[in-house]
Amino acid sequence: MGKLFRNLTFWVLVAITGGILLGHYRPDLAQMQVLDQPFQLKVMGQELSVGKTLSEFLSGIFISLVKLFINPIIFLTITLGIVSMGDLKKVGRVGAKSLLYFEIVTTFALVIGILAAMLIQPGSGVDTSAVKGGDISKYTKGSEEFSWLKFLKDNFTLQVLIVAIITGVSLTFYKGKDKVVQFLQPLSKYIFKGLHWVMLLAPVGAFGGMAFTISKYGISTLLPLAKLMGTVYITMALFIFIVLYFILRMYRVSIFRFLKYIREELLVVLGTSSSEAALPTLMEKLERMGCSKSVVGLVVPTGYSFNLDGTTIYLSMCMIFLAQVFNVDLSFAQVLSIIGILMLTSKGAAGVTGSGFVVLASTLTAIKVIPVEGLALLLGVDRFMSEARAITNFIGNGVATIWIANNEKEFDRNKMELAFNRVHETEDVVKDNIEGETINH
């Protein structure tokens, strides 16, 4: 029993359950105002925000704290990874292979989303009057066209990725690189140690996130769109347990053991609806299970911007859903156009709050067949589907890293077995005891 109470997974599950109960039975308490106005601050390219209600305040504090660690960890991991890799040809090969993998898998996700929506037809017979409309102006404003320059400008994480690559490559030519590495390696360890302390607040963030969602939207108001939600969740589950299953099976890695290994991170993502909340610890766990630091450092941050399997499925299904709601018969050419445009615009759906709606608005505007006003239908249900998006994106990036590490022969299966069997936890305890005894003596 004592071991259970020390388990972070247990407390996150308790927090999620508590958040649902509070949001359902005491929405007034969940929506109780604790700040006069929302607090927003931009630090190191990350938009940190804390809402004025109790539930938003709790979830916002946790997510904002985790965001502070993302860019420093990405910079240090990539820089040290490239320096340790040494061979610049290998760096280029891994980067090119990652982008090719991302494009193939996300395109496959797009097609799956469209086929599933066409087969199940969640938008057929939806009574639009049963769902309250909302102000969609903030989502449609400036969504007329997609610009790679704007995408780079708005995505600070991608900027950090580029700077880290340049720094890593530059250090390989620098004669005094050993001194720089000796400074960066301990710094990286301290940052990860600080992150571990912050992750102890994960139950607080999960509690606030769930309480906010249930108290604001409720469950009964979502019944008209339950079919869409069910379709999205089923499709993403099939993508994980069929597509990603076979991708890992190519290198004899079990998707089920991997999911069990990252279960704490998955619960954090579920509770907060944000893959950012567990991104740094995913990178650490992938290294611990045998992926080389250099591959993890290149693939995970790049995938954060380009490998959004869950978002891609969601966007394609919502497009077809809205077409069905408004009785728009899409031709085969128009469906191909949707796939082509989403292949481009979906790459801009990372790291920006409400980005899913912006991308959807961009695509609807470009297609000019489905009314953009249809976005108002999705406002209430979007939050409930964001958990599925974030979890699928999160798992997809982990699978991509494992696949590329194996493909590059940069994967240690012995480490994987130790990690999956949780042997490292025992080793860490023994190591801490030894270090403690050494200090005492």
Side-chain angles (χ1 to χ4, degrees), residues 239-257:
F239 179 81
I240 292 169
F241 293 110
I242 296 178
V243 178
L244 298 185
Y245 167 83
F246 281 107
I247 288 174
L248 284 186
R249 192 179 178 185
M250 291 176 63
Y251 292 106
R252 295 179 294 112
V253 179
S254 168
I255 184 73
F256 301 103
R257 295 184 74 191

Side-chain angles (χ1 to χ4, degrees), residues 314-336:
Y314 166 79
L315 291 172
S316 59
M317 295 191 77
C318 283
M319 287 290 295
I320 303 302
F321 168 78
L322 291 176
Q324 292 167 355
V325 167
F326 292 103
N327 296 314
V328 176
D329 293 323
L330 296 173
S331 65
F332 182 70
Q334 288 172 327
V335 172
L336 289 180

Side-chain angles (χ1 to χ4, degrees), residues 122-418:
S124 299
V126 172
D127 181 11
T128 57
S129 64
V131 183
K132 293 182 180 180
D135 181 15
I136 62 169
S137 59
K138 63 179 179 179
Y139 302 114
T140 58
K141 185 179 179 181
S143 63
E144 286 74 18
E145 59 182 61
F146 175 84
S147 167
W148 280 104
L149 185 62
K150 186 177 184 302
F151 174 41
L152 178 60
K153 182 181 177 182
D154 293 340
N155 196 324
F156 190 76
T157 301
L158 192 58
Q159 296 173 28
V160 172
L161 172 67
I162 294 171
V163 171
I165 291 173
I166 295 172
T167 304
V169 171
S170 301
L171 282 176
T172 58
F173 295 105
Y174 180 52
K175 292 182 180 179
K177 66 179 180 182
D178 290 340
K179 291 183 179 179
V180 179
V181 171
Q182 287 174 5
F183 169 73
L184 293 180
Q185 282 181 337
L187 182 61
S188 178
K189 289 181 181 179
Y190 283 122
I191 288 178
F192 270 111
K193 187 172 287 188
L195 176 66
H196 288 162
W197 283 102
V198 171
M199 288 306 294
L200 295 177
L201 296 174
V204 177
F207 175 82
M210 276 298 176
F212 169 76
T213 301
I214 301 297
S215 63
K216 184 171 182 179
Y217 300 111
I219 297 174
S220 59
T221 59
L222 302 174
L223 291 179
L225 298 174
K227 194 174 181 181
L228 172 62
M229 285 177 58
T231 304
V232 168
Y233 271 83
I234 290 171
T235 304
M236 291 188 186
L238 291 174
F239 179 81
I240 292 169
F241 293 110
I242 296 178
V243 178
L244 298 185
Y245 167 83
F246 281 107
I247 288 174
L248 284 186
R249 192 179 178 185
M250 291 176 63
Y251 292 106
R252 295 179 294 112
V253 179
S254 168
I255 184 73
F256 301 103
R257 295 184 74 191
F258 174 61
L259 294 179
K260 183 180 179 182
Y261 176 57
I262 61 169
R263 62 183 182 272
E264 290 175 359
E265 286 72 23
L266 291 176
L267 285 172
V268 170
V269 173
L270 174 66
T272 61
S273 299
S274 171
S275 56
E276 290 178 331
L279 183 69
T281 51
L282 173 67
M283 296 174 71
E284 188 180 24
K285 279 198 169 182
L286 286 170
E287 281 186 47
R288 187 181 289 167
M289 71 169 281
C291 299
S292 69
K293 178 184 285 289
S294 53
V295 171
V296 172
L298 283 171
V299 178
V300 176
T302 311
Y304 178 67
S305 295
F306 294 97
N307 188 38
L308 305 170
D309 301 329
T311 302
T312 304
I313 292 172
Y314 166 79
L315 291 172
S316 59
M317 295 191 77
C318 283
M319 287 290 295
I320 303 302
F321 168 78
L322 291 176
Q324 292 167 355
V325 167
F326 292 103
N327 296 314
V328 176
D329 293 323
L330 296 173
S331 65
F332 182 70
Q334 288 172 327
V335 172
L336 289 180
S337 297
I338 290 174
I339 293 174
I341 293 172
L342 282 176
M343 283 174 63
L344 179 66
T345 56
S346 62
K347 300 301 180 289
V352 182
T353 304
S355 56
F357 272 89
V358 174
V359 170
L360 202 54
S362 301
T363 312
L364 289 171
T365 307
I367 296 292
K368 295 180 179 177
V369 176
I370 305 168
V372 181
E373 291 74 22
L375 285 176
L377 278 171
L378 302 172
L379 288 175
V381 76
D382 177 72
R383 174 79 187 194
F384 282 86
M385 291 191 288
S386 63
E387 286 95 346
R389 285 202 305 267
I391 287 176
T392 307
N393 290 340
F394 187 76
I395 296 171
N397 279 325
V399 169
T401 307
I402 295 169
W403 189 91
I404 292 171
N406 275 279
N407 191 261
E408 283 291 310
K409 295 180 173 56
E410 294 279 343
F411 188 79
D412 188 332
R413 294 194 67 85
N414 291 328
K415 281 188 175 182
M416 180 190 75
E417 290 299 329
L418 289 173

Side-chain angles (χ1 to χ4, degrees), residues 22-33:
L22 178 68
H24 183 66
Y25 291 106
R26 289 297 305 273
D28 56 322
L29 186 58
Q31 292 293 323
M32 181 177 67
Q33 187 170 321

Side-chain angles (χ1 to χ4, degrees), residues 1-19 199-208 264 267-268 271:
M1 185 64 70
K3 186 178 179 181
L4 179 66
F5 288 146
R6 291 194 299 269
N7 191 305
L8 184 63
T9 304
F10 169 76
W11 288 112
V12 172
L13 276 171
V14 170
I16 289 174
T17 305
M199 288 306 294
L200 295 177
L201 296 174
V204 177
F207 175 82
E264 290 175 359
L267 285 172
V268 170

Side-chain angles (χ1 to χ4, degrees), residues 5-57:
F5 288 146
R6 291 194 299 269
N7 191 305
L8 184 63
T9 304
F10 169 76
W11 288 112
V12 172
L13 276 171
V14 170
I16 289 174
T17 305
I20 292 172
L21 293 174
L22 178 68
H24 183 66
Y25 291 106
R26 289 297 305 273
D28 56 322
L29 186 58
Q31 292 293 323
M32 181 177 67
Q33 187 170 321
V34 294
L35 294 177
D36 292 333
Q37 58 184 8
F39 173 78
Q40 290 184 325
L41 182 67
K42 197 163 188 176
V43 180
M44 293 186 293
Q46 292 287 355
E47 292 184 3
L48 312 180
S49 61
V50 178
K52 60 183 181 180
T53 65
L54 176 63
S55 54
E56 289 177 297
F57 178 82

